[in-house]
Amino acid sequence: MSAERFAALWESLSPVGRVGEDGGYVRHSWTDTDLVCREWFIEEALDRDLEVEIDRNGNLWAWWGEPEQEGAIVTGSHLDSVPHGGAYDGPLGVVSGLLAIDRLRERGVKPVRPVAVAVFTEEEGARFGVPCLGSRLMTGAFDPAKALRLRDREGASLADAIGRAGLDPDRLGPDPERLARIGAFVELHVEQGRALDHLNAPIGVASAIWPHGRYRFDFTGEGNHAGTTRMSDRHDPMLTLAYTVLATDEVARIHGAHATVGRVDVAPNATNAIAARASAWLDARAADGETLQKLVESIHHRSEERARRDGTHVTMTAESVTGEVGFAGDVSRLAALELQAPVLPTGAGHDAGVLSAHVDTAMLFVRNPTGISHAPQESASDADCAVGVEKLTDLLARLCQ
Ligand code: HGY
Ligand code: MN
Ligand code: MN
């Protein structure tokens, strides 16, 4: 696979959802932009004579071989992005999967089991708040009734969104037959860090995904006039929120963990009014479950202490929590042996993490020279991406024959 050949397919998708001069992407699930991305995938799959399926949860599947046959070898990733995210997080795995099918055929590989490229919906949880929603619904890891009630920031429900795209909300839910037919899942993903760059390696293999969770903090206080309310008379939830953000940073450093508040919501959000209430979303990650729990408990405890001082009130709600994922099965071991690539953990969640509880799973990483992700500066060279396609093809060839 040449860099030019990779770039040709890459560039057929890259203009979709790219916004503003910063080149960031806004591709939220079930929006018109996402439907264009989905159409792109379906066309590319049909161009390759792959059989396309949309499953009950809206995930897309492009099959080479009989979908009903056992032991399918599946690759793929997601097409949705965080707001103003990078180009590669998700789409790189989908484009590489399609090109790997081309390369398997050119190499004359005759699979003895079906091979598929999958596109999972709402992996980022950027619109409806729950990451890996498509793969969690398929594996029964998230309640479909609860999912249908999830709302985006404009108040549209998931039920409305998928209904608009032609799916039947009543069919949302576990898909055990489909899951049982998958023999192995391999997700290729841009590295979200600089380990491969420091190792001067184009490709890596995942060893683990850190446990991580998303926690919503709701602060309530007393709305009032910014100009006439004495400082000593205030119960300002923004103070408690600000302190919680500072505590997040300090506690994460103490625990050698990663914790972030990147999203807030304030009401009434007026220049000349003391806020009545505010919300902040904590993204917390740590190398092991025990540290994650201590990290979140400590942040919550400090926030409550500060609330008492401010005369405000704080509640914390866990919106999604993902346990540690170890990629230690045969497929991961084969990947490390076959590809002779560095093996490294990641702090980022992936559909491969969700599927790994049910299916033998591996993840391949492609070098990201900036190490930046979830931002427009995310990058990967066409040459490294082409190497990624070849390595993915090597692994799929071993698995499907
Ligand atoms: O947030 C994550 O870890 C992933 O990129 N969805
Ligand atoms: Mn991501
Ligand atoms: Mn991703």
Side-chain angles (χ1 to χ4, degrees), residues 156-294:
S157 71
L158 178 71
D160 301 340
I162 61 173
R164 192 172 151 262
L167 264 76
D168 176 358
D170 294 338
R171 294 196 62 234
L172 212 72
D175 200 339
E177 300 78 31
R178 179 177 301 277
L179 192 56
R181 291 202 301 268
I182 302 173
F185 178 62
V186 180
E187 180 169 4
L188 181 144
H189 204 282
V190 65
E191 189 197 348
Q192 294 164 304
R194 289 193 65 180
L196 292 177
D197 192 43
H198 292 148
L199 291 167
N200 195 22
I203 303 297
V205 175
S207 57
I209 294 177
W210 276 19
H212 57 283
R214 293 182 184 193
Y215 306 82
R216 174 181 169 139
F217 280 69
D218 288 306
F219 306 91
T220 50
E222 189 178 271
N224 207 328
H225 195 296
T228 57
T229 312
R230 294 186 312 170
M231 298 312 281
S232 55
D233 293 339
R234 295 179 180 217
H235 303 292
D236 184 353
M238 284 302 281
L239 279 185
T240 320
L241 183 150
Y243 175 79
T244 303
V245 175
L246 292 172
T248 293
D249 182 75
E250 188 186 333
V251 171
R253 291 170 193 275
I254 292 168
H255 287 82
H258 300 170
T260 316
V261 175
R263 178 187 169 194
V264 294
D265 193 27
V266 185
N269 208 20
T271 305
N272 57 351
I274 301 167
R277 60 186 182 287
S279 298
W281 280 263
L282 169 68
D283 179 310
R285 319 223 182 180
D288 61 83
E290 196 189 330
T291 305
L292 178 66
Q293 190 175 352
K294 273 196 259 172

Side-chain angles (χ1 to χ4, degrees), residues 14-322:
S14 59
V16 182
R18 184 164 52 204
V19 293
E21 59 290 347
D22 68 0
Y25 281 81
V26 177
R27 290 171 172 164
H28 294 331
S29 49
W30 307 115
T31 59
D32 291 344
T33 301
D34 185 37
L35 298 182
V36 172
C37 290
R38 293 168 68 90
E39 264 316 303
W40 168 87
F41 177 75
I42 291 168
E43 269 168 43
E44 288 299 332
L46 295 176
D47 281 356
R48 291 168 170 79
D49 296 324
L50 303 177
E51 184 183 334
V52 176
E53 271 188 301
I54 302 178
D55 72 18
R56 65 180 61 166
N57 296 301
N59 304 309
L60 291 168
W61 302 76
W63 292 94
W64 178 22
E66 280 313 307
E68 288 68 40
Q69 194 189 334
E70 297 287 304
I73 306 301
V74 181
T75 186
S77 190
H78 60 95
L79 292 174
D80 66 307
S81 74
V82 298
H84 286 276
Y88 294 87
D89 176 353
L92 182 58
V94 176
V95 169
S96 302
L98 291 168
L99 290 171
I101 297 265
D102 296 343
R103 294 292 295 124
L104 286 169
R105 286 169 165 166
E106 287 163 8
R107 293 188 190 181
V109 169
K110 299 277 178 277
V112 296
R113 51 180 66 91
V115 180
V117 184
V119 177
F120 291 102
T121 70
E122 188 67 351
E123 189 278 342
E124 296 293 1
R127 184 172 177 195
F128 294 103
V130 174
C132 300
L133 186 59
S135 54
R136 285 179 200 253
L137 284 165
M138 179 177 85
T139 57
F142 197 84
D143 172 46
K146 193 173 165 195
L148 288 170
R149 293 193 299 272
L150 294 171
R151 291 190 179 279
D152 67 12
R153 302 183 198 190
E154 284 69 47
S157 71
L158 178 71
D160 301 340
I162 61 173
R164 192 172 151 262
L167 264 76
D168 176 358
D170 294 338
R171 294 196 62 234
L172 212 72
D175 200 339
E177 300 78 31
R178 179 177 301 277
L179 192 56
R181 291 202 301 268
I182 302 173
F185 178 62
V186 180
E187 180 169 4
L188 181 144
H189 204 282
V190 65
E191 189 197 348
Q192 294 164 304
R194 289 193 65 180
L196 292 177
D197 192 43
H198 292 148
L199 291 167
N200 195 22
I203 303 297
V205 175
S207 57
I209 294 177
W210 276 19
H212 57 283
R214 293 182 184 193
Y215 306 82
R216 174 181 169 139
F217 280 69
D218 288 306
F219 306 91
T220 50
E222 189 178 271
N224 207 328
H225 195 296
T228 57
T229 312
R230 294 186 312 170
M231 298 312 281
S232 55
D233 293 339
R234 295 179 180 217
H235 303 292
D236 184 353
M238 284 302 281
L239 279 185
T240 320
L241 183 150
Y243 175 79
T244 303
V245 175
L246 292 172
T248 293
D249 182 75
E250 188 186 333
V251 171
R253 291 170 193 275
I254 292 168
H255 287 82
H258 300 170
T260 316
V261 175
R263 178 187 169 194
V264 294
D265 193 27
V266 185
N269 208 20
T271 305
N272 57 351
I274 301 167
R277 60 186 182 287
S279 298
W281 280 263
L282 169 68
D283 179 310
R285 319 223 182 180
D288 61 83
E290 196 189 330
T291 305
L292 178 66
Q293 190 175 352
K294 273 196 259 172
L295 170 74
V296 174
E297 282 171 0
S298 175
I299 294 168
H300 187 197
H301 175 69
R302 290 193 184 201
S303 185
E304 287 180 320
E305 261 187 347
R306 178 70 200 210
R308 277 191 286 281
R309 194 176 126 184
D310 296 333
T312 58
H313 182 68
V314 58
T315 57
M316 179 183 82
T317 312
E319 288 193 335
S320 76
V321 183
T322 306

